[in-house]
Amino acid sequence: MTNELIHDIEESIKQDRTNAMLKEYAPTIIVGAVLAVLLTSGMTMWRSHKAQVAAEQTAQVLAALEDQDQAAAVGKVIGGLNSGLRGVTQLTEAGLLLRDKKNAEALTAYQTAAIDATLPAPWQGFAQLMSVKLQWETGGAEADTLLQSLMPILNDSASPWRDHAAVQAALIAAHSQQDFAAARQHLVTVLQSSSAPETLKDRAKKLDHLYALKITSEEKPSEPAVAPAAGTPAEKPEG
């Protein structure tokens, strides 16, 4: 009987402590629960808002692509887009301008995308590569400047454009600087790459073979003219 009474008293004390704790911390617990609900609801609404905005902006881009002058229409909506969609749209605009042979405008679009820090690195790298390619093909910049512009891509082993940049660097070194050894060194990156497309590797092999022949032909000394032996009279013209 005594043991049962002690047990009942202990349970009563425990219950009183629990009730006191609940009474003291109830406002905090309730507020915390409300905040948790509001936060969850707010995040859901924010995701929904972002999804709605993305859908609306995508619709704007698609509508621009249906315009008769696609590049101009796309250019008008770029400023109001979020960073991710803006990057895709900038590259789309540049591609459309390039398709329409508006190289100067395409170059400006690629250069704008290349320096936009809000864009993902792969998109920036692609824009930089395309801007270098356009400038080289149109003679818009010095070879040293173009090679320097490619260095961030060439030095980034994780860049998906590294192999393409290496081929472009080889072309610049060989055909603008006549430095075939440097060109072949750039091609090593592609030839040893495990991720380069086969078509790109095949092109690199052909260029490497061509530049090796160029180096060989430059190293081969020209044959001197044969002089008459000493004491041999020179032939006199007939008549």
Side-chain angles (χ1 to χ4, degrees), residues 9 16 18 20 24 27 64 75-76 79 84 119 123 148 153 155 202-203 209 211 214 221:
I9 293 173
D16 287 343
T18 302
E24 180 178 357
K76 290 178 181 178
L119 300 184
W123 294 349
Q148 190 63 35
I153 306 174
N155 291 333
D202 185 58
R203 187 185 184 193
H209 180 67
Y211 299 154
K214 288 281 189 180

Side-chain angles (χ1 to χ4, degrees), residues 136 167 170-176 178-185 187 191 201-219:
W136 181 65
V167 170
L171 291 170
I172 295 172
H175 300 281
S176 295
Q178 302 300 305
D179 190 343
F180 301 108
R184 295 190 71 196
Q185 192 60 43
L187 293 175
L191 297 174
K201 273 195 171 184
D202 185 58
R203 187 185 184 193
K205 288 177 183 177
K206 291 177 180 177
L207 288 174
D208 183 64
H209 180 67
L210 172 63
Y211 299 154
L213 293 175
K214 288 281 189 180
I215 292 173
T216 302
S217 65
E218 288 181 352
E219 291 176 348

Side-chain angles (χ1 to χ4, degrees), residues 158-172:
S159 173
W161 312 113
R162 188 186 186 203
D163 296 323
H164 295 271
V167 170
Q168 185 61 53
L171 291 170
I172 295 172

